[in-house]
Amino acid sequence: MAEVRGIDPRGPRFAASITAVLLLVATFLALVGISTARGGIEWFINFADGSQKQIVPAEFVLPASPLLARIADPGFISVLVIALLFLWGVVAPRTAPWGVLYRKAIQPRLAPPTELEDPRPPRFAQGVGLVVTGVGLVLHLIGVPYALPVAAGLAFVAAFLNAVFGLCLGCQLWLLLQRAGLVGRTA
């Protein structure tokens, strides 16, 4: 197998910073959208002392909503865009927008990196982000309440940890799988 060329480790961290901000917005939109909305009539028993007891909770709106309403939800659209960016990072990482922005606008202003890293773990991490957001999107489309904000929130936590602390959870998963002999072994 050919030698793997290294990448500037600051590039994926820069991309994680932008992705974390996008995921924070997407998580908020998913939390205030149809994924968590409740509708219907709530019935209460009123007691003589002025207290109330709810006897029939309001139902989630998502399972009863039409597919077009689920797709048109701003939370869904924003997570879909982020999932497509993850896909782009897996399929063509050299042309992914945050990498290009880093190489063209940020990297020329910095000192050369002291060491390079293997590009496979960050690429794998993009795939993990794609799977997490993809599962949230699919579950949202089939009507599972809270699936979309939970998936977006999990992806946000991973991107935040990478952006702020340099801890790439997908890269750590890559290393575990590599030690187990499942990925990335070179001849």
Side-chain angles (χ1 to χ4, degrees):
M1 181 174 222
E3 182 72 23
V4 178
R5 242 180 70 213
I7 60 169
D8 183 346
R10 299 170 294 186
R13 196 164 177 185
F14 172 78
S17 301
I18 296 173
T19 303
V21 171
L22 293 176
L23 283 163
L24 185 61
V25 171
T27 302
F28 173 76
L29 290 173
L31 281 170
V32 299
I34 195 171
S35 183
T36 61
R38 289 180 174 259
I41 300 172
E42 295 184 22
W43 299 91
F44 294 92
I45 297 175
N46 294 315
F47 295 101
D49 66 355
S51 63
Q52 293 182 335
K53 180 177 179 181
Q54 182 179 6
I55 58 170
V56 178
E59 297 294 322
F60 283 104
V61 173
L62 184 65
S65 65
L67 183 61
L68 189 57
R70 296 174 195 180
I71 293 170
D73 179 54
F76 178 84
I77 294 169
S78 60
V79 175
L80 178 63
V81 168
I82 294 167
L84 291 173
L85 288 167
F86 281 137
L87 179 63
W88 193 347
V90 170
V91 173
R94 294 289 302 164
T95 64
W98 311 142
V100 170
L101 179 63
Y102 175 78
R103 285 190 308 278
K104 301 279 185 192
I106 308 296
Q107 192 176 31
R109 292 171 169 73
L110 301 174
T114 56
E115 58 186 52
L116 300 177
E117 74 176 15
D118 185 350
R120 296 174 299 171
R123 188 175 189 176
F124 181 80
Q126 292 286 303
V128 172
L130 174 61
V131 168
V132 169
T133 54
V135 167
L137 290 167
V138 169
L139 291 175
H140 176 81
L141 287 178
I142 62 174
V144 177
Y146 281 96
L148 191 62
V150 166
L154 289 172
F156 165 74
V157 168
F160 178 82
L161 288 173
N162 191 359
V164 175
F165 301 109
L167 175 62
C168 175
L169 296 178
C171 300
Q172 295 302 314
L173 180 58
W174 167 272
L175 293 174
L176 287 172
L177 294 173
Q178 187 179 40
R179 284 186 197 123
L182 299 174
V183 297
R185 291 284 182 188
T186 56

